[in-house]
Every structure is written in C-alpha cells, then in structure tokens.
Amino acid sequence: MIDPFGRRITYLRVSVTDRCDLRCVYCMAEDMTFLPKAEVLTLEELDRLGAAFIRLGVRKLRLTGGEPLVRRDVMRLFTSLGARLGNGLDELTLTTNGTQLARYAAPLSEVGVRRINVSLDTLDAGKFAAITRWGRIGQVLEGLAAARSAGLAVKINTVALKGVNEDEFERLVEWCGQEGFDLCLIETMPMGEISADRVDQYLPLSLVRARLKRRFTLAETDYRTGGPARYYNVAETGRRIGFITPMTHNFCESCNRVRLTCTGTLFMCLGQEDSADLRRPLRSSADDAALEAAIREAITRKPKGHDFVIDRRHSRPAVSRHMSVTGG
Ligand code: SAM
Ligand code: SF4
C-alpha cells in the first residue's frame, strides 16, 4: 500500500480497548466515559482485520489502547497474531503502562513478542500516583523486572511535563542505563478534553535536549524504528535516547503507519479527524474483498501531515478524540 505522497504503509497500530486502569492527567479526564462493550470489535474480528492488513503489506503490528493488557483474554489475540510472525508479519509488539506486565511478560515472549514500550513518566512514587491519578509505581517496576527476566527489550516512554517531571530526566537517563532500557521522551499532544490545561503542561523537548547535553554526551544516530523519534546514543550509559517532538518538528514525511480503533475505525493520521469505517465491511461479509477494498480506499486519503497547534487563548484540543481512542 502506497499513499498519495509515496509513503509505503507497513505499520499498523491497533487500539484493542479504550479502557484503562489508570487516568494519566495528560491523556484522560478522571470521569472518562468509555465505549459500550457492544461497539467494540471481538478479538476474532481484530485478528481478521490484522490478517487483512498483513496481506496488504503491513509488516509490523503494535497493540495499544487504552491499556491493552486490561482487555479480557487479550493473550488470545497476541497468540493468533503471533502465529503470523515470519508469515508476512515481521514484528508484533505492544505499548503498555506496565501495571499488568508481571503476569503477562513471559506469555508475551512465548508468542513471539520481542520488544515492548512501557510508559513511565517518573521514578517518584508520589508523583507517579499524582500523574496517573491513582497508580502504584511498584506494580510497574515489578512488571519491568518480569519483562527483563522474560528477555523482552524495553523502551521507556516518558511524556515531558512542565513543572512535573522536568527535574527528573537526568535521573531517568541514568536509571535506564543501569536497567538496560532505551528511553524516549515525548512532547504532550493536544488530544481530547482533559481537565488540566495543555499550555501549562507543554514542555518543548529542544530545551530538554539542550539541558541533557550539558550532562551527557549525546551523539546523533540514524537509528530508526520506523517511528517519529530522533535517536541519540548516550556515551555515558551506552543506551539510546529518543525525542518525539510533534509540536516542534514535523515528522510526517516519513510516516509509514495507520491506526485502528477498537471499534474498527481507521485513522490515517493521529493528528487529523478523517477516518474510514472498517467495521461495516468486516461484518457485512465473511469474504474479505469488501474489507480490503475499504482499506485500500482509506490509504488514498492519508493526509500529508498533522496540524497540531496549541490554541493558546482557549487551550482547546486540536483533535477532539483522546489518545486512548486511537492509541498512542
Ligand atoms: N496505556 C498504554 C500506555 O500508557 O503506554 C498505551 C496507550 S497510551 C495512550 C500510549 C502513549 O501515549 C503513552 O506513552 C502515553 O504516555 C502517551 N500519551 C497519552 N496521551 C498523550 C498526549 N496527550 N500527548 C502525548 N503523549 C500522550
Ligand atoms: Fe491509560 Fe496509557 Fe492513557 Fe495513561 S497514557 S491513561 S496508562 S491509556
């Protein structure tokens, strides 16, 4: 699948649920209303969609959410998709908040998952509870230990929050070095109504990188994971650090991905509202011809790029849906 701007679409991210056991302040409102279960695709339907995308050229699948590991029986989906590894699919991975990893790390490794992203914004238990509104950091640290025992490569995702965790980045770089994890810092993106003020949370990573360079030797690399991050090698720790800067740097020209929600809506860009309904062709026939046609048609509508801007006067989100709907 090649889009109108010549980009080959080889990467699908699937949000398997919009639900989550945490309520990170930049991601969700405390009193989120979740989708009625009847609207959510079954695990079998998600597998069928995944298979259709693989037939059309997708080589990498990432399950995300919401929190993918809170979806009941999610291992059934990992198992069926994992069976497609080496059979069109090169990589199966997930993004998780880590709270359930202690239980799932070993089974994930058994079905062929090799690398995972774990979101962790702070190493301070009190701050963790405040950012997630009620999470316990101990659960995530146990999960990370289980991931390491299971041989999973871990990348820590940290959202940079002004005045909240900005004093911790040096410590996080060192800690990741000790633990053998890569680190990726992310700017907050204006998605979905939340109770906090986005403008207050936004911290440009250009500033963070400049500060880190005073302490660490960061050597630019051309390492890419097919994602939007720019990576540097940290000489002092021997690990990588990535920066995702949607607000200050346009990462769209190399975008190879599309995103599917748990209701079967395909978003061709994280930062745009245009979408395609795949649930209808999926459910209308057991034959996949209509489904594949709908996917191909959607790819012809992939936009050139996002238009994230922080609306400084009104601090309205640029995109009305939450990150947990399309999957981060
Ligand atoms: N629950 C899982 C987790 O937290 O990793 C997967 C879904 S979460 C939506 C995926 C990633 O998006 C997380 O790393 C999270 O920190 C990030 N995220 C959520 N809302 C965001 C926002 N408004 N701006 C930037 N990143 C955001
Ligand atoms: Fe849940 Fe992940 Fe959103 Fe936090 S960032 S509320 S863990 S979906």
Side-chain angles (χ1 to χ4, degrees), residues 11-284:
Y11 182 7
L12 175 69
R13 297 170 74 108
V14 184
S15 175
V16 300
T17 174
D18 64 328
R19 290 166 196 255
C20 187
D21 53 344
L22 302 179
R23 292 289 181 281
C24 302
V25 290
Y26 48 78
C27 179
M28 292 193 184
E30 187 162 9
D31 57 344
M32 286 289 283
T33 319
F34 294 110
L35 291 163
K37 290 216 166 106
E39 284 197 25
V40 175
L41 299 183
T42 64
L43 296 173
E44 289 68 27
E45 287 172 324
L46 286 169
D47 180 61
R48 202 178 134 204
L49 269 167
F53 275 95
I54 294 167
R55 278 197 305 278
L56 292 173
V58 160
R59 313 295 304 252
K60 175 171 171 183
L61 273 179
R62 176 179 297 277
L63 303 194
T64 176
E67 174 47 40
L69 299 183
V70 302
R71 171 121 191 208
R72 192 191 300 175
D73 289 337
V74 73
M75 276 315 297
R76 269 189 20 234
L77 181 60
F78 275 104
T79 305
S80 57
L81 292 173
R84 302 179 197 283
L85 284 164
N87 218 341
L89 185 64
D90 294 341
E91 188 172 28
L92 175 63
T93 177
L94 88 151
T95 300
T96 174
N97 64 24
T99 61
Q100 315 295 313
L101 255 186
R103 188 149 55 100
Y104 284 110
L108 285 168
S109 168
E110 275 159 32
V111 300
V113 174
R114 295 288 168 261
R115 298 193 297 143
I116 61 172
N117 290 356
V118 180
S119 303
L120 183 62
D121 301 326
T122 175
L123 292 172
D124 178 283
K127 267 192 213 174
F128 183 83
I131 294 171
T132 59
R133 292 203 177 93
W134 56 63
R136 284 184 289 124
I137 196 171
Q139 275 184 321
V140 181
L141 298 177
E142 266 176 47
L144 285 168
R148 200 177 22 209
S149 311
L152 297 173
V154 172
K155 186 174 79 181
I156 300 290
N157 278 343
T158 301
V159 176
L161 297 163
K162 190 157 111 191
V164 178
N165 60 1
E166 63 181 306
D167 57 335
E168 278 194 76
F169 300 139
E170 292 185 11
R171 189 169 162 226
L172 273 164
V173 172
E174 278 168 354
W175 177 77
C176 283
Q178 287 154 13
E179 302 287 323
F181 303 149
D182 284 340
L183 175 64
C184 198
L185 300 180
I186 308 173
E187 281 175 357
T188 53
M189 297 174 225
M191 297 188 66
E193 290 291 349
I194 53 169
S195 37
D197 188 333
R198 303 266 180 208
V199 181
D200 284 352
Q201 294 177 343
Y202 178 63
L203 174 65
L205 287 184
S206 46
L207 199 75
V208 174
R209 186 164 46 216
R211 280 191 213 148
L212 286 174
K213 276 185 169 168
R214 280 190 234 139
R215 169 80 186 278
F216 300 101
T217 318
L218 302 187
E220 215 162 331
T221 71
D222 51 13
Y223 172 78
R224 292 200 85 88
T225 55
R230 285 248 178 109
Y231 282 94
Y232 295 75
N233 286 324
V234 186
E236 289 78 0
T237 66
R239 304 300 314 182
R240 274 186 285 260
I241 182 167
F243 297 87
I244 300 186
T245 56
M247 309 301 292
T248 52
H249 171 254
N250 201 321
F251 57 51
C252 306
E253 62 281 358
S254 59
C255 183
N256 61 355
R257 64 194 57 197
V258 288
R259 297 163 194 264
L260 185 71
T261 72
C262 58
T263 57
T265 303
L266 187 72
F267 284 95
M268 287 70 83
C269 173
L270 180 64
Q272 300 278 3
E273 304 282 5
D274 189 31
S275 65
D277 173 26
L278 300 183
R279 186 170 57 179
R280 193 186 309 215
L282 178 78
R283 288 189 173 167
S284 65

